[in-house]
């Protein structure tokens, strides 16, 4: 195999302590990485040309094995606890040295890339992989420098990812053999014992979630974003199952990105150069953009073929429900590059409320927006997760608690400042149940949800009347184009009005109980957005 290496003349890994390697291949093209992955028996080709790889024992992130080094830089700024688990500086240094020794005589793949489409706020990355397919994942998911930029490329954050290297918990200070450790002072992430590629992507997201708000005054967000033909930007927040990907994928609007963005003084910008989408039960009819993006250069993880073919059976969950694809954003026809656009005009918080309480669309004031942003509410229904037999409230701060190094109120206050400064409309959209809770009511029709979002985007709700919800206080529009008036009031869709009132108070109480852990850090402005019981 001939390797085309793009790097400056003085590039080496010696500054990382990595020497005496068998081979180091820098910035290989997707075609070359596919060749290497096949030659190394890391993966196989599907009939669309995509590369199919398994991630081994770990088919998702391992949150309990993700650590942040506690030192002078982070001790008083990081939100320590179950999400940001502290790790000792000395243990990090010792583990780094063990990894370096492990990489001696290994074949390595190095990728230089960016995170952040705005050049003023981007992070320059160096990723060191032992697996070719994981280096292709990084090519797809991060932003790709030009050949000219690579000549003088200087990285300011490094990932070392060696799935084959396992820690010794008793010696190394980890919980298990696998680990993902972020060192914000040494600007390095160590990943070992797991081949789940999402650890690299989310590791850098966590880094940006520290640097941008804490040091630059830029709001980092776990959201999708698109832009209309007139340049009007919209942002969509929502946990799994709320319709974030579906509702932001609009053929009439350009896709900025599907998962991670920053909001500075002039623009919304994508952190990534690609998309990492779930593919369980994927069909061309349901998700045509994703279906067509899975071609040569793309990766599918933990999927299986129809027997006797190279055709992926997306219904097959024998390995995991969390089957995924990773592809560069230019595989999506309506993606815009560079992936940035102006300040948003509309922001949508998506929730799949299984209790049938939240209105299908409502408008939030600044206090409510900050409160709901911190709450990050949706509900799980029976069958979505082992042990869930009835609707269950789910709260994830800022719609992405697992990736927040700072306290959630820090992000919420920045969100509120930007919302107020730029006079942004914030809407709460319920894609869940109406006419009663799960098991009695029915799921909100997608055509109605799309009509409501379209009306908000086109300014058709600017001059309608609004009335306050009795518990949550949010503004419910009295009319909306292409949506029956009775659908807009959740209480009106219930046969038993008293049962609705009771359920609404119960959900409001659940919000308040969840918010207790943030209460001492929240401003009066944020607390004013609380439900009223």
């Amino acid at each position: 195999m001939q390797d085309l290496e793009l790097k400056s003349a003085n590039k080496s890994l010696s500054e990382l302590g990595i020497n005496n390697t068998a081979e180091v291949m820098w910035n290989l093209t997707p075609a070359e990485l596919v060749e290497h992955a096949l030659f190394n028996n890391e993966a196989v080709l599907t009939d669309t040309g995509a590369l199919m790889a398994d991630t081994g024992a770990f088919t998702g992130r391992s949150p309990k094995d993700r650590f942040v080094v506690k030192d002078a830089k982070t001790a008083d700024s990081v939100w320590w606890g179950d999400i940001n688990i502290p790790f000792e500086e000395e243990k990090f240094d010792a583990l780094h040295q063990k990894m370096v020794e492990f990489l001696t005589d290994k074949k390595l793949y190095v990728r230089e890339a960016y995170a952040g489409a705005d050049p003023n706020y981007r992070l320059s990355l160096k990723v060191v992989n032992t697996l070719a397919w994981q280096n292709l994942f990084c090519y797809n998911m991060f932003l790709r420098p030009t050949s000219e930029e690579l000549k003088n490329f200087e990285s300011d954050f490094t990932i070392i990812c060696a799935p084959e290297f396992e820690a010794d918990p008793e010696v190394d200070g980890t919980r298990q053999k696998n680990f993902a450790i972020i060192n914000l002072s040494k600007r390095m992430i160590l990943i070992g014992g797991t081949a789940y590629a999402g650890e690299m992507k989310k590791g850098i997201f966590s880094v940006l979630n520290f640097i941008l708000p804490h040091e630059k005054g830029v709001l980092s967000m776990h959201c999708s974003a698109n832009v209309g033909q007139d340049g009007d930007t919209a942002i969509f927040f929502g946990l799994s199952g709320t319709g974030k990907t579906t509702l932001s994928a609009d053929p009439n609007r350009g896709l900025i990105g599907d998962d991670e963005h920053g909001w500075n003084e002039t623009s919304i910008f994508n952190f990534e150069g690609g998309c990492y989408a779930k593919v369980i039960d994927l069909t061309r009819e349901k998700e045509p953009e994703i279906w067509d993006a899975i071609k040569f250069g793309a990766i599918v993880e933990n999927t299986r073929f129809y027997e006797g073919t190279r055709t992926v059976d997306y219904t097959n969950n024998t390995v995991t429900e969390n089957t995924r694809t990773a592809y560069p954003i230019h595989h999506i026809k309506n993606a815009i590059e560079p992936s940035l656009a102006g300040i948003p005009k509309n922001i949508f918080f998506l929730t799949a409320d299984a209790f049938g309480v939240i209105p299908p669309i409502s408008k939030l004031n600044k206090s409510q927006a900050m409160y709901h942003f911190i709450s990050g509410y949706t509900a799980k229904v029976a069958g979505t997760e082992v042990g869930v037999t009835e609707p269950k409230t789910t709260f994830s701060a800022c719609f992405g608690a697992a990736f927040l190094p700072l306290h959630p109120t820090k992000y919420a206050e920045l969100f509120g400042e930007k919302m107020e400064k730029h006079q942004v409309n914030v809407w709460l959209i319920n894609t869940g149940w109406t006419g009663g809770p799960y098991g009695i009511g029915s799921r909100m029709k997608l055509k109605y949800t799309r009509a409501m979002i379209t009306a908000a985007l086109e300014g058709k709700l600017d001059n309608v009347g609004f009335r306050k919800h009795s518990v949550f206080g949010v503004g419910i529009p009295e009319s909306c184009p292409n949506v029956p008036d009775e659908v807009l009031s959740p209480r009106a869709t219930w046969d038993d009005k008293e049962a609705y009132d009771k359920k609404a108070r119960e959900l409001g109480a659940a919000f308040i109980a969840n918010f207790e852990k943030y209460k001492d850090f929240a401003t009066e402005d944020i607390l004013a957005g609380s439900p009223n019981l």
Side-chain angles (χ1 to χ4, degrees):
M1 268 178 270
Q2 183 180 2
D3 301 331
L4 176 62
E5 299 189 1
L6 291 166
K7 64 170 184 172
S8 61
N10 61 349
K11 285 291 165 64
S12 77
L13 297 178
S14 58
E15 75 273 15
L16 302 176
I18 300 173
N19 299 294
N20 303 316
T21 51
E23 292 178 87
V24 180
M25 283 148 287
W26 292 71
N27 300 310
L28 298 189
T29 64
E32 290 170 317
L33 288 167
V34 169
E35 283 183 345
H36 277 261
L38 297 174
F39 182 80
N40 299 340
N41 294 316
E42 298 173 10
V44 294
L45 279 180
T46 73
D47 62 1
T48 68
L51 197 65
M52 189 165 90
D54 278 4
T55 63
F58 293 90
T59 57
R61 291 182 309 101
S62 185
K64 292 182 180 179
D65 299 298
R66 171 199 178 273
F67 305 91
V68 179
V69 173
K70 190 171 186 178
D71 57 20
K73 186 184 183 77
T74 59
D76 297 326
S77 53
V78 166
W79 178 37
W80 300 109
D82 293 341
I83 289 167
N84 299 297
I85 305 167
F87 201 82
E88 295 176 23
E89 289 180 82
E90 296 77 12
K91 293 287 187 184
F92 179 90
D93 292 342
L95 192 57
H96 175 216
Q97 186 57 39
K98 283 177 71 172
M99 288 190 79
V100 164
E101 291 168 5
F102 173 82
L103 296 176
T104 300
D105 299 328
K106 297 288 190 300
K107 181 163 62 173
L108 300 178
Y109 300 90
V110 182
R111 170 78 33 209
E112 292 171 305
Y114 297 124
D118 186 329
N120 296 311
Y121 299 102
R122 71 187 181 191
L123 201 62
S124 300
L125 309 175
K126 179 185 292 168
V127 189
V128 181
N129 298 111
T130 55
L131 297 175
W133 83 261
Q134 292 209 327
N135 203 248
L136 177 62
F137 176 91
C138 294
Y139 173 90
N140 287 347
M141 294 311 304
F142 297 126
L143 291 154
R144 296 158 285 277
T146 64
S147 300
E148 197 61 33
E149 287 172 324
L150 285 172
K151 289 179 182 177
N152 299 297
F153 193 93
E154 294 292 336
S155 61
D156 46 33
F157 224 96
T158 300
I159 301 172
I160 301 176
C161 181
E164 309 91 337
F165 175 84
E166 295 181 339
D168 180 344
E170 290 187 12
V171 174
D172 299 320
T174 57
R175 187 181 73 101
Q176 299 187 129
K177 293 179 179 180
N178 62 298
F179 57 87
I181 310 172
I182 300 170
N183 191 324
L184 288 158
S185 296
K186 296 198 169 176
R187 305 177 80 80
M188 186 181 295
I189 301 174
L190 303 180
I191 300 170
T194 172
Y196 184 67
E199 293 282 13
M200 295 183 286
K201 163 188 155 69
K202 288 306 185 187
I204 292 300
F205 185 39
S206 298
V207 168
L208 289 168
N209 279 337
F210 180 86
I211 292 174
L212 292 180
H214 188 61
E215 299 176 3
K216 311 280 188 183
V218 173
L219 178 62
S220 52
M221 304 175 292
H222 189 212
C223 65
S224 59
N226 63 26
V227 60
Q229 294 174 358
D230 295 332
D232 61 302
T233 302
I235 297 174
F236 298 80
F237 291 92
L239 301 178
S240 181
T242 60
K244 177 169 65 106
T245 301
T246 301
L247 292 168
S248 63
D250 187 331
N252 299 314
R253 298 174 66 82
L255 180 69
I256 303 169
D258 78 328
D259 198 44
E260 303 172 5
H261 294 83
W263 181 353
N264 60 34
E265 288 303 306
T266 58
S267 69
I268 295 294
F269 62 98
N270 193 354
F271 290 166
E272 303 183 294
C275 303
Y276 193 37
K278 284 189 175 182
V279 293
I280 192 71
D281 295 326
L282 178 71
T283 64
R284 175 173 261 137
E285 292 69 35
K286 284 196 294 187
E287 302 283 1
E289 293 86 5
I290 295 175
W291 181 277
D292 291 339
I294 303 174
K295 55 190 178 182
F296 184 80
I299 300 166
V300 283
E301 292 178 351
N302 300 313
T303 53
R304 289 295 177 264
F305 295 133
Y306 287 106
E307 192 172 348
T309 75
R310 286 296 181 96
T311 302
V312 177
D313 175 7
Y314 291 111
T315 66
N316 191 315
N317 63 356
T318 54
V319 180
T320 178
E321 286 278 334
N322 190 35
T323 51
R324 287 186 175 267
T325 181
Y327 50 83
I329 199 166
H330 54 253
H331 280 200
I332 297 288
K333 289 179 183 175
N334 66 330
I336 63 167
E337 290 190 271
S339 303
L340 74 169
I343 297 297
K345 287 182 64 177
N346 292 281
I347 295 172
F348 299 94
F349 294 164
L350 306 175
T351 182
D353 175 31
F355 302 100
V357 167
I358 302 293
I361 183 168
S362 52
K363 195 171 186 181
L364 280 58
N365 61 31
K366 179 189 172 188
S367 293
Q368 292 162 349
M370 290 190 289
Y371 188 93
H372 281 266
F373 185 61
I374 291 176
S375 298
Y377 166 70
T378 191
K380 292 175 181 172
V381 297
T384 58
E385 200 172 275
V386 176
V388 178
T389 56
E390 57 184 38
K392 179 183 175 185
T393 56
T394 300
F395 297 95
S396 182
C398 309
F399 299 93
F403 320 114
L404 304 182
L406 307 175
H407 194 278
T409 53
K410 300 290 185 185
Y411 304 93
E413 288 166 13
L414 197 50
F415 179 88
E417 289 171 16
K418 290 182 176 295
M419 173 191 170
E420 190 170 51
K421 179 177 180 179
H422 300 289
Q423 295 296 296
V424 183
N425 296 318
V426 179
W427 308 91
L428 180 61
I429 302 287
N430 178 17
T431 63
W433 273 256
T434 183
Y438 174 80
I440 297 174
S442 58
R443 190 87 191 246
M444 183 62 61
K445 291 181 179 177
L446 181 59
K447 70 174 183 178
Y448 290 158
T449 301
R450 287 195 184 280
M452 292 177 224
I453 288 175
T454 298
L457 289 171
E458 294 178 352
K460 292 179 179 176
L461 300 180
D462 291 353
N463 299 311
V464 304
F466 287 83
R467 53 192 176 75
K468 284 188 176 182
H469 188 274
S470 58
V471 172
F472 288 92
V474 296
I476 304 173
E478 293 177 349
S479 64
C480 178
N482 301 312
V483 181
D485 290 351
E486 60 272 16
V487 170
L488 298 171
S489 169
R491 190 174 189 270
T493 65
W494 283 50
D495 292 333
D496 187 337
K497 311 302 183 196
E498 288 186 8
Y500 174 84
D501 294 338
K502 181 183 177 187
K503 189 62 73 175
R505 288 193 296 271
E506 287 176 0
L507 184 59
F511 267 77
I512 291 169
N514 171 70
F515 210 86
E516 278 296 315
K517 56 182 171 285
Y518 310 124
K519 199 173 178 181
D520 292 343
F521 297 87
T523 63
E524 288 299 317
D525 204 7
I526 294 173
L527 292 172
S530 173
N532 179 17
L533 300 182

